């Protein structure tokens, strides 16, 4: 939560209202931990980034034509401490998601990001993700999100 407290003011200053004082919260991260799906990147013993690597697909993903019955690894709550931006922390967490997908025999990775999050909009295509479309999420009314997908090829698994 200390990382989130450092990230949220910077996000909001850039017009990205995806996170606030309500979300994400200790209860959400507690559920991620209990499910064994919260991944942490450390640099010299300090938490540099976090991501929930799940199979939880928002129902709204169907709006971009995704088949929600198709198994997918979905990254949620991706955050990098401002002190460690630009050194590959987010890319490392996204690579971990690919490893999790391969271990589970899942060929599809999905993620959504706020339309105001320029950093992730640059990162995801660099990592091979394709923009699928834009949605709203019921639990974050008034905000818009871009959906990205990556399909792992058979040779890479």
């Amino acid at each position: 939560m200390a990382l989130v407290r450092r990230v949220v003011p910077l996000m909001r200053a850039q017009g990205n209202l995806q996170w606030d004082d309500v979300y994400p919260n200790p209860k959400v991260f507690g559920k991620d931990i209990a499910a064994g799906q919260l991944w942490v990147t450390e640099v010299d013993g300090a938490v540099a980034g976090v991501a929930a690597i799940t199979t939880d697909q928002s129902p709204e993903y169907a709006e971009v034509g995704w088949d929600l019955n198709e198994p997918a690894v979905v990254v949620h709550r991706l955050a990098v401490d401002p002190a460690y931006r630009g050194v590959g922390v987010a890319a490392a967490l996204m690579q971990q998601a690919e490893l999790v997908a391969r271990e589970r025999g899942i060929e599809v990775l999905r993620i959504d990001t706020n339309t105001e999050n320029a950093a992730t909009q640059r990162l995801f295509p660099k990592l091979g993700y394709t923009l699928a479309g834009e949605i709203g999420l019921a639990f974050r009314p008034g905000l818009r999100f871009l959906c990205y997908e990556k399909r792992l090829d058979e040779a890479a698994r």
Side-chain angles (χ1 to χ4, degrees), residues 2-152:
L3 182 151
V4 171
R5 285 189 293 276
R6 287 190 293 278
V7 169
V8 168
L10 296 175
M11 291 172 68
R12 297 185 76 76
Q14 295 170 348
N16 180 355
L17 307 179
Q18 181 171 357
W19 289 3
D20 53 26
D21 295 338
V22 178
Y23 179 86
N25 56 55
K27 184 177 179 181
V28 171
F29 283 119
K31 286 181 180 179
D32 289 335
I33 292 166
Q37 62 190 21
L38 186 67
W39 293 83
V40 176
T41 299
E42 292 183 348
V43 175
D44 297 327
V47 174
V50 297
I53 300 175
T54 78
T55 54
D56 302 330
Q57 300 189 68
S58 298
E60 294 90 346
Y61 285 178
E63 295 173 25
V64 296
W66 288 345
D67 178 359
L68 301 185
N69 293 314
E70 180 179 33
V73 165
V74 183
V75 178
H76 294 289
R77 295 173 286 289
L78 174 66
V80 175
D81 189 293
Y84 298 100
R85 290 208 172 140
V87 298
V89 173
L93 287 162
M94 296 299 290
Q95 288 170 347
Q96 182 61 40
E98 288 190 35
L99 180 62
V100 169
R102 287 186 176 97
E103 288 173 351
R104 296 181 183 177
I106 296 174
E107 298 177 20
V108 179
L109 292 109
R110 294 178 175 153
I111 190 165
D112 64 75
T113 188
N114 186 268
T115 54
E116 301 301 320
N117 191 332
T120 54
Q121 290 174 48
R122 287 188 303 271
L123 175 65
F124 299 153
K126 287 181 187 175
L127 298 176
Y129 284 75
T130 303
L131 177 63
E134 185 176 321
I135 62 170
L137 292 171
F139 83 105
R140 301 302 287 160
L143 301 178
R144 300 297 294 170
F145 296 85
L146 300 175
C147 296
Y148 290 85
E149 181 178 74
K150 181 174 184 175
R151 293 190 168 269
L152 301 175

